[in-house]
PDB file of all heavy atoms in Angstrom:
ATOM      1  N   LEU A  67      25.784   7.737  17.556  1.00  0.00           N
ATOM      2  CA  LEU A  67      24.610   6.933  17.718  1.00  0.00           C
ATOM      3  C   LEU A  67      24.260   6.657  19.151  1.00  0.00           C
ATOM      4  O   LEU A  67      23.080   6.606  19.517  1.00  0.00           O
ATOM      5  CB  LEU A  67      24.766   5.621  16.892  1.00  0.00           C
ATOM      6  CG  LEU A  67      24.885   5.778  15.448  1.00  0.00           C
ATOM      7  CD1 LEU A  67      25.270   4.413  14.795  1.00  0.00           C
ATOM      8  CD2 LEU A  67      23.585   6.247  14.853  1.00  0.00           C
ATOM      9  N   LEU A  68      25.288   6.496  19.978  1.00  0.00           N
ATOM     10  CA  LEU A  68      25.023   6.272  21.437  1.00  0.00           C
ATOM     11  C   LEU A  68      24.368   7.437  22.074  1.00  0.00           C
ATOM     12  O   LEU A  68      23.699   7.350  23.035  1.00  0.00           O
ATOM     13  CB  LEU A  68      26.312   5.858  22.101  1.00  0.00           C
ATOM     14  CG  LEU A  68      26.916   4.507  21.637  1.00  0.00           C
ATOM     15  CD1 LEU A  68      28.360   4.415  21.978  1.00  0.00           C
ATOM     16  CD2 LEU A  68      26.146   3.400  22.299  1.00  0.00           C
ATOM     17  N   ARG A  69      24.638   8.679  21.501  1.00  0.00           N
ATOM     18  CA  ARG A  69      23.992   9.783  22.039  1.00  0.00           C
ATOM     19  C   ARG A  69      22.612  10.003  21.454  1.00  0.00           C
ATOM     20  O   ARG A  69      21.657  10.387  22.237  1.00  0.00           O
ATOM     21  CB  ARG A  69      24.818  11.074  21.643  1.00  0.00           C
ATOM     22  CG  ARG A  69      24.258  12.390  22.127  1.00  0.00           C
ATOM     23  CD  ARG A  69      25.215  13.506  21.698  1.00  0.00           C
ATOM     24  NE  ARG A  69      25.155  13.759  20.264  1.00  0.00           N
ATOM     25  CZ  ARG A  69      26.203  13.531  19.455  1.00  0.00           C
ATOM     26  NH1 ARG A  69      27.318  12.999  19.918  1.00  0.00           N
ATOM     27  NH2 ARG A  69      26.096  13.763  18.141  1.00  0.00           N
ATOM     28  N   GLU A  70      22.406   9.655  20.201  1.00  0.00           N
ATOM     29  CA  GLU A  70      21.109   9.896  19.618  1.00  0.00           C
ATOM     30  C   GLU A  70      20.125   8.749  19.948  1.00  0.00           C
ATOM     31  O   GLU A  70      18.939   9.049  20.012  1.00  0.00           O
ATOM     32  CB  GLU A  70      21.299   9.869  18.111  1.00  0.00           C
ATOM     33  CG  GLU A  70      22.138  10.955  17.575  1.00  0.00           C
ATOM     34  CD  GLU A  70      21.503  12.359  17.620  1.00  0.00           C
ATOM     35  OE1 GLU A  70      20.281  12.379  17.813  1.00  0.00           O
ATOM     36  OE2 GLU A  70      22.168  13.345  17.634  1.00  0.00           O
ATOM     37  N   PHE A  71      20.616   7.492  20.193  1.00  0.00           N
ATOM     38  CA  PHE A  71      19.724   6.415  20.543  1.00  0.00           C
ATOM     39  C   PHE A  71      20.167   5.774  21.832  1.00  0.00           C
ATOM     40  O   PHE A  71      20.982   4.923  21.898  1.00  0.00           O
ATOM     41  CB  PHE A  71      19.768   5.342  19.431  1.00  0.00           C
ATOM     42  CG  PHE A  71      19.321   5.828  18.061  1.00  0.00           C
ATOM     43  CD1 PHE A  71      20.168   5.888  16.969  1.00  0.00           C
ATOM     44  CD2 PHE A  71      17.983   6.224  17.868  1.00  0.00           C
ATOM     45  CE1 PHE A  71      19.752   6.275  15.706  1.00  0.00           C
ATOM     46  CE2 PHE A  71      17.581   6.613  16.642  1.00  0.00           C
ATOM     47  CZ  PHE A  71      18.405   6.715  15.496  1.00  0.00           C
ATOM     48  N   SER A  72      19.542   6.273  22.912  1.00  0.00           N
ATOM     49  CA  SER A  72      19.879   5.795  24.279  1.00  0.00           C
ATOM     50  C   SER A  72      19.671   4.292  24.463  1.00  0.00           C
ATOM     51  O   SER A  72      20.303   3.677  25.350  1.00  0.00           O
ATOM     52  CB  SER A  72      19.150   6.551  25.328  1.00  0.00           C
ATOM     53  OG  SER A  72      17.757   6.375  25.145  1.00  0.00           O
ATOM     54  N   GLU A  73      18.742   3.703  23.672  1.00  0.00           N
ATOM     55  CA  GLU A  73      18.447   2.252  23.726  1.00  0.00           C
ATOM     56  C   GLU A  73      19.748   1.448  23.559  1.00  0.00           C
ATOM     57  O   GLU A  73      19.829   0.276  24.090  1.00  0.00           O
ATOM     58  CB  GLU A  73      17.447   1.874  22.701  1.00  0.00           C
ATOM     59  CG  GLU A  73      16.094   2.480  22.855  1.00  0.00           C
ATOM     60  CD  GLU A  73      15.923   3.818  22.225  1.00  0.00           C
ATOM     61  OE1 GLU A  73      16.979   4.418  21.820  1.00  0.00           O
ATOM     62  OE2 GLU A  73      14.825   4.328  22.135  1.00  0.00           O
ATOM     63  N   LEU A  74      20.684   1.963  22.794  1.00  0.00           N
ATOM     64  CA  LEU A  74      21.873   1.117  22.452  1.00  0.00           C
ATOM     65  C   LEU A  74      22.710   0.823  23.650  1.00  0.00           C
ATOM     66  O   LEU A  74      23.470  -0.124  23.660  1.00  0.00           O
ATOM     67  CB  LEU A  74      22.658   1.865  21.415  1.00  0.00           C
ATOM     68  CG  LEU A  74      22.040   1.984  20.003  1.00  0.00           C
ATOM     69  CD1 LEU A  74      22.851   2.854  19.081  1.00  0.00           C
ATOM     70  CD2 LEU A  74      21.767   0.638  19.353  1.00  0.00           C
ATOM     71  N   HIS A  75      22.632   1.574  24.696  1.00  0.00           N
ATOM     72  CA  HIS A  75      23.422   1.420  25.924  1.00  0.00           C
ATOM     73  C   HIS A  75      22.981   0.129  26.615  1.00  0.00           C
ATOM     74  O   HIS A  75      23.888  -0.502  27.322  1.00  0.00           O
ATOM     75  CB  HIS A  75      23.259   2.622  26.891  1.00  0.00           C
ATOM     76  CG  HIS A  75      24.053   3.804  26.352  1.00  0.00           C
ATOM     77  ND1 HIS A  75      25.404   4.030  26.492  1.00  0.00           N
ATOM     78  CD2 HIS A  75      23.532   4.959  25.711  1.00  0.00           C
ATOM     79  CE1 HIS A  75      25.666   5.197  25.931  1.00  0.00           C
ATOM     80  NE2 HIS A  75      24.546   5.742  25.504  1.00  0.00           N
ATOM     81  N   ASN A  76      21.710  -0.339  26.506  1.00  0.00           N
ATOM     82  CA  ASN A  76      21.265  -1.423  27.292  1.00  0.00           C
ATOM     83  C   ASN A  76      20.713  -2.615  26.476  1.00  0.00           C
ATOM     84  O   ASN A  76      20.339  -3.542  27.077  1.00  0.00           O
ATOM     85  CB  ASN A  76      20.131  -0.919  28.259  1.00  0.00           C
ATOM     86  CG  ASN A  76      20.646   0.131  29.135  1.00  0.00           C
ATOM     87  OD1 ASN A  76      21.677   0.031  29.845  1.00  0.00           O
ATOM     88  ND2 ASN A  76      19.917   1.314  29.202  1.00  0.00           N
ATOM     89  N   VAL A  77      20.622  -2.475  25.153  1.00  0.00           N
ATOM     90  CA  VAL A  77      20.109  -3.510  24.385  1.00  0.00           C
ATOM     91  C   VAL A  77      20.963  -4.823  24.509  1.00  0.00           C
ATOM     92  O   VAL A  77      22.174  -4.710  24.525  1.00  0.00           O
ATOM     93  CB  VAL A  77      19.938  -3.050  22.893  1.00  0.00           C
ATOM     94  CG1 VAL A  77      21.291  -2.883  22.263  1.00  0.00           C
ATOM     95  CG2 VAL A  77      19.090  -4.048  22.124  1.00  0.00           C
ATOM     96  N   SER A  78      20.297  -5.964  24.550  1.00  0.00           N
ATOM     97  CA  SER A  78      21.026  -7.214  24.669  1.00  0.00           C
ATOM     98  C   SER A  78      21.354  -7.905  23.346  1.00  0.00           C
ATOM     99  O   SER A  78      22.311  -8.609  23.290  1.00  0.00           O
ATOM    100  CB  SER A  78      20.255  -8.168  25.575  1.00  0.00           C
ATOM    101  OG  SER A  78      18.978  -8.451  25.069  1.00  0.00           O
ATOM    102  N   SER A  79      20.443  -7.696  22.346  1.00  0.00           N
ATOM    103  CA  SER A  79      20.777  -8.338  21.025  1.00  0.00           C
ATOM    104  C   SER A  79      20.321  -7.291  19.964  1.00  0.00           C
ATOM    105  O   SER A  79      19.302  -6.760  20.008  1.00  0.00           O
ATOM    106  CB  SER A  79      20.047  -9.641  20.842  1.00  0.00           C
ATOM    107  OG  SER A  79      18.619  -9.426  21.010  1.00  0.00           O
TER     108      SER A  79
END
Side-chain angles (χ1 to χ4, degrees):
L67 293 173
L68 292 161
R69 180 180 68 250
E70 297 290 340
F71 297 118
S72 59
E73 295 87 349
L74 294 174
H75 289 279
N76 301 308
V77 68
S78 59
S79 60

